[in-house]
Amino acid sequence: MKTLVIVPILLLFSCPSIFSAEKLPNDVRKFIAQRDACDHFRGELPEPEEAERMQEVTGQIEKRCRGTDRRLRLLKKKYGSNADVKKLLSVYEEQIEPRDNQR
Amino acid sequence: MNIVKHGIKNIASVSAETSGAQWVKRFPGSRSTADLANPFRGRVETFIGAIRAAGAIVVINGTLRDPRRAYLMHWSWRIVRAHVDPQSIPSMNGVCINWSHSDRSGNYSRVASIAGASEMVKAFGMERLGVAPSLTSRHIIGSAIDMSVSWQGNLLIVDSHGNTVEIKTPPWSGMNLQLHRVGESYGVIKYNRRGRDEPHWSDNGT
């Protein structure tokens, strides 16, 4: 019985990220999900002769990455005084799109 | 950017070879599970062994990727598409490339430098790519594998606990959810973030 009480309490203190993720503003949470997927596919570019895979990956990149530079800038501005959000956003590259292509 | 992690230093190269298409084939990716990092390697090999023992076909398309290839892709793209100054590109250990070309008089030539990077962008197949390739990935640290899996009919496969799992429902491929659960039991996690990445499995689902 004692264990049943202690374990959840220990989990509460040992996994703060689980709880802080729930508190994240919606726009930040959505951005992180999109940008993480974008960053995944940016690392998946195959050898040039793998045409089909290249098409799959570039299609996902186009879908997931476009506009994220601008969104990152706006979120950093919006949550400039929120240290937790600032820290989470600081891990992302600020410019992955060509400057003349940003929306 | 995570450039320091991969040993990139800001050292100007003197006798380095100039950029161009010849660089593109130099650091090919591996298709061997032996190149994966442990303990992921052992988990993948056991999982693939179980899939093959069940009668399914596994074709490995990629395992470890070279960070030097990512470096070449990233910076050639940045020079051409993001207009980064070829003279300001950080160097990387093990890549003796000079992004900065000279003209016949020995003076820096921006046009020739961009042309060299453009050759690489084209040879890498990135002409239509709208964002910079990443310098990092699970493949670069040996913690991901791209493989296609296929079978016909029901599949009887043993998970890591020794339980036999019967997969009776489609798809008959690596996108099968029951196969994902079996993979998880071995510590091989199907890509589980946004978007569809059919061949990709890793140590953490990314």
Side-chain angles (χ1 to χ4, degrees):
Chain A
M1 184 63 193
K2 201 174 173 183
T3 312
L4 285 175
V5 175
I6 291 169
V7 168
I9 291 171
L10 285 175
L11 277 173
L12 187 67
F13 290 103
S14 63
C15 307
S17 60
I18 294 170
F19 301 97
S20 60
E22 287 171 4
K23 290 178 197 162
L24 277 178
N26 260 345
D27 50 0
V28 174
R29 203 168 51 228
K30 281 181 184 171
F31 171 81
I32 289 173
Q34 182 182 351
R35 184 56 184 268
D36 282 349
C38 158
D39 286 346
H40 164 74
F41 286 104
R42 291 198 302 126
E44 282 297 312
L45 290 164
E47 300 299 331
E49 56 274 14
E50 295 175 48
E52 194 181 333
R53 176 70 175 154
M54 182 66 89
Q55 204 172 350
E56 281 172 14
V57 172
T58 51
Q60 288 289 338
I61 287 173
E62 181 67 19
K63 198 171 173 183
R64 312 280 158 203
C65 298
R66 191 171 276 268
T68 57
D69 281 357
R70 183 171 172 271
R71 283 176 62 200
L72 178 60
R73 267 201 314 275
L74 293 174
L75 288 173
K76 280 186 169 179
K77 196 173 174 185
K78 183 176 177 183
Y79 296 102
S81 56
N82 184 328
D84 292 338
V85 172
K86 268 174 79 176
K87 193 178 173 188
L88 282 170
L89 297 178
S90 69
V91 303
Y92 297 103
E93 281 180 61
E94 289 187 343
Q95 196 206 336
I96 60 168
E97 297 175 85
R99 281 199 186 88
D100 50 2
N101 201 32
Q102 290 182 16
R103 293 192 282 205
Chain B
M1 273 179 299
N2 209 359
I3 53 178
V4 175
K5 188 176 168 186
H6 296 302
I8 299 168
K9 294 176 184 173
N10 283 302
I11 303 167
S13 47
V14 180
S15 59
E17 183 182 344
T18 49
S19 58
Q22 77 278 8
W23 281 94
V24 169
K25 297 285 181 189
R26 291 196 182 158
F27 307 109
S30 168
R31 293 187 174 200
S32 170
T33 56
D35 291 321
L36 292 170
N38 281 316
F40 186 63
R41 173 189 171 180
R43 293 169 183 167
V44 165
E45 288 174 346
T46 315
F47 178 42
I48 289 175
I51 299 172
R52 286 181 172 150
I57 296 165
V58 179
V59 178
I60 298 170
N61 301 311
T63 55
L64 182 70
R65 294 202 183 117
D66 197 313
R68 294 171 294 182
R69 175 179 175 269
Y71 165 85
L72 293 172
M73 294 173 88
H74 180 88
W75 289 107
S76 59
W77 187 94
R78 278 205 178 278
I79 289 169
V80 176
R81 297 294 305 277
H83 313 300
V84 170
D85 182 356
Q87 296 175 104
S88 71
I89 308 300
S91 59
M92 181 182 190
N93 287 339
V95 190
C96 206
I97 188 169
N98 187 357
W99 297 100
S100 175
H101 292 233
S102 301
D103 61 21
R104 285 177 186 172
S105 315
N107 299 317
Y108 167 67
S109 167
R110 180 173 168 74
V111 172
S113 302
I114 292 172
S118 296
E119 277 184 23
M120 294 171 68
V121 167
K122 187 177 178 186
F124 274 125
M126 303 191 297
E127 285 167 300
R128 294 168 62 192
L129 187 65
V131 297
S134 179
L135 286 164
T136 61
S137 75
R138 303 308 289 175
H139 286 284
I140 284 176
I141 59 170
S143 295
I145 181 168
D146 288 347
M147 60 182 176
S148 68
V149 184
S150 59
W151 68 90
Q152 291 182 327
N154 294 355
L155 189 75
L156 286 169
I157 183 167
V158 180
D159 69 15
S160 75
H161 310 297
N163 302 317
T164 299
V165 177
E166 184 172 17
I167 301 179
K168 293 192 280 190
T169 53
W172 319 118
S173 72
M175 294 305 281
N176 186 289
L177 293 177
Q178 276 182 285
L179 186 68
H180 298 177
R181 299 294 86 80
V182 174
E184 281 168 21
S185 77
Y186 288 97
V188 183
I189 318 295
K190 187 75 193 72
Y191 177 73
N192 57 20
R193 302 303 164 95
R194 281 194 186 176
R196 181 185 172 94
D197 193 346
E198 190 157 343
H200 187 85
W201 302 70
S202 70
D203 62 342
N204 68 359
T206 66

